[in-house]
Amino acid sequence: NAGVTQTPKFQVLKTGQSMTLQCAQDMNHNSMYWYRQDPGMGLRLIYYSASEGTTDKGEVPNGYNVSRLNKREFSLRLESAAPSQTSVYFCASTSGSGMGELFFGEGSRLTVL
Amino acid sequence: AQKITQTQPGMFVQEKEAVTLDCTYDTSDPSYGLFWYKQPSSGEMIFLIYQGSYDQQNATEGRYSLNFQKARKSANLVISASQLGDSAMYFCAMREGPGNYGQNFVFGPGTRLSVLP
């Protein structure tokens, strides 16, 4: 009953360091998303992947890269972290069928010093 | 341009009263979906209710209903008989296009609801 799993849950980085946020879903969903949440700004889309092998930029892609490794996994990489990337990151997925609602992971809190 | 607008940063409601959270959206796509999510203080995102652009009737799900006014491009969430556990952030979201192609989902800034005993 895992759903969408994100790792790590918490991370502290120094400016300039790199890291990868991992996301995996076990619901056989086609589409996966990465959002960041900042106070007063809701969730802003960084990148999404409509299906395995495709990725598209969202509203705030600068400073990030993504990889859709397979149908289950969608990773988000910060190549050179900046304090402006301090945020809570959410991964989500959807099958696209029925209502097509997003299923979310628990979130990853990233602090860049 | 902001695609989802939630004009109420914070709302208070008395326990057992009804409350309406406002949401307006902007799209030129005839096919879209509207969603409401709840985020309690623990941080998880909980899906509440969905309205499709072609749905003729307003969606309902238990104590939640969606007041869909297509011409006004509004999709307000109504919570009846508020409970203390309803205190949370509420986000309105929109998916443009039919759901089977992995479209962009956009979220509004959210409304923080506080239910008073």
Side-chain angles (χ1 to χ4, degrees), chain B residues 37-88:
Chain B
Y37 282 83
K38 173 184 178 182
Q39 186 180 42
S41 57
S42 50
E44 72 267 31
M45 295 290 288
I46 302 168
F47 166 67
L48 295 178
I49 195 167
Y50 164 80
Q51 181 84 43
S53 59
Y54 295 118
D55 293 343
Q56 295 294 314
Q57 294 194 325
N58 288 342
T60 61
E61 192 66 50
R63 295 187 297 111
Y64 303 109
S65 60
L66 202 153
N67 184 0
F68 182 46
Q69 299 187 44
K70 195 170 183 177
R72 296 182 58 191
K73 293 187 175 179
S74 75
N76 298 339
L77 177 70
V78 180
I79 305 174
S80 63
S82 297
Q83 302 172 356
L84 295 178
D86 294 334
S87 294

Side-chain angles (χ1 to χ4, degrees), chain A residues 21-106:
Chain A
L21 294 172
Q22 307 283 358
C23 176
Q25 52 89 10
D26 62 2
M27 296 174 283
N28 201 36
H29 286 171
N30 289 320
S31 302
M32 298 185 72
Y33 301 75
W34 276 106
Y35 289 90
R36 61 176 289 172
Q37 183 178 18
D38 302 293
M41 306 196 72
L43 279 76
R44 293 183 292 168
L45 184 63
I46 304 171
Y47 273 94
Y48 68 102
S49 171
S51 61
E52 187 178 353
T54 69
T55 60
D56 285 285
K57 295 179 180 179
E59 181 186 356
V60 288
N62 292 342
Y64 305 94
N65 287 301
V66 290
S67 296
R68 184 74 183 269
L69 304 169
N70 47 56
K71 191 171 185 178
R72 290 187 65 247
E73 298 173 288
F74 189 40
S75 63
L76 178 72
R77 183 160 178 83
L78 288 69
E79 290 291 351
S80 179
S84 61
Q85 294 177 304
T86 294
S87 189
V88 178
Y89 292 85
F90 283 95
C91 178
S93 69
T94 179
S95 66
S97 61
M99 292 179 288
E101 73 270 32
L102 289 177
F103 292 79
F104 282 87
E106 294 181 331

Side-chain angles (χ1 to χ4, degrees), chain A residues 33 96 98-100, chain B residues 27-35 50-54 94-105:
Chain A
Y33 301 75
M99 292 179 288
Chain B
T27 182
S28 57
D29 197 317
S31 177
Y32 53 90
L34 298 160
F35 302 79
Y50 164 80
Q51 181 84 43
S53 59
Y54 295 118
M94 176 176 66
R95 179 203 63 230
E96 291 179 289
N100 57 351
Y101 194 62
Q103 277 81 11
N104 187 7
F105 265 86

